[in-house]
Amino acid sequence: MGDASRVSRNHSDTFRTAVEQSVAAGKAEVLSASPPVYLLHDVLSATEVADLRGVVARRRDLWGASHPLVCFQHDAFTGHPGLTHAFDWMRGRPGAGGRGCFAQAASRATYAHVPWSESLFVYRGQEALFDGISRRVQEMSGLHDTHACSGAASAWPRCSCTSRTTSTAARRSSPSWV
């Protein structure tokens, strides 16, 4: 992925027509004309949000006994001399666009002390709820499901977590549809 940003644009009539219809119907709004940014309303019902949380909890329970690996792409971490021996693997040059993951022991030790974001990726066909949401976004925006990556339920830290005693559960926010 590197450190360059990726801009994705869809200037097709399908996208333009679908979004204009959603805006006209009050189901979306234009946040910015240049670059074009739209906000889709009512993509999820309260029941679907609860169901989405249930899917995330069920899938997290299936992760097993291994601790999640802690990975970095930022040069300040990959190039830090004190972390050199913590990495299990590294792709690219450390400190110059490299990307790497800590070994299992280093990941376990680090995870409890830092407010991490967490993403659960669900691919087409794995969960009917995600497939339905994806179809709804396609209908509202004209962005075809088959052109998309997997759906992701993500959680970000709730607080600045300056205390090392703050529990992991207290640092997590609700999952968001990305």
Side-chain angles (χ1 to χ4, degrees):
M1 191 161 138
D3 57 359
S5 65
R6 290 193 261 178
V7 177
S8 177
R9 295 187 179 165
N10 183 338
H11 296 290
S12 70
D13 282 338
T14 305
F15 175 75
R16 184 186 52 76
T17 303
V19 171
E20 285 175 356
Q21 289 172 352
S22 291
V23 169
K27 295 179 181 177
E29 63 184 278
V30 179
L31 297 181
S32 169
S34 181
V37 178
Y38 303 96
L39 174 64
L40 301 177
H41 299 294
D42 302 321
V43 175
L44 297 172
S45 69
T47 301
E48 288 171 321
V49 170
D51 291 346
L52 179 62
R53 287 181 176 146
V55 167
V56 170
R58 181 172 45 80
R59 288 192 161 268
R60 279 190 105 247
D61 289 344
L62 299 174
W63 282 0
S66 333
H67 207 275
L69 289 180
V70 173
C71 302
F72 294 100
Q73 188 169 321
H74 195 281
D75 291 347
F77 295 103
T78 63
H80 191 285
L83 298 177
T84 304
H85 300 291
F87 286 98
D88 188 35
W89 69 267
M90 177 71 65
R91 181 176 296 151
R93 203 170 103 220
R99 182 175 69 190
C101 291
F102 278 177
Q104 189 65 236
S107 291
R108 187 178 300 109
T110 306
Y111 191 83
H113 300 287
V114 180
W116 302 104
S117 64
E118 208 172 77
S119 294
L120 172 75
F121 294 92
V122 179
Y123 297 93
R124 265 188 294 295
Q126 287 184 312
E127 292 287 344
L129 176 62
F130 277 71
D131 291 345
I133 293 167
S134 188
R135 283 190 298 274
R136 188 173 314 139
V137 170
Q138 176 178 319
E139 290 167 10
M140 294 175 79
S141 68
L143 296 172
H144 291 275
D145 175 63
T146 55
H147 296 287
C149 295
S150 59
S154 298
W156 290 273
R158 237 179 232 222
C159 63
S160 62
C161 303
T162 54
S163 167
R164 292 187 182 269
T165 59
T166 304
S167 72
T168 301
R171 294 193 310 240
R172 303 279 175 228
S173 66
S174 301
S176 301
W177 178 257
V178 177

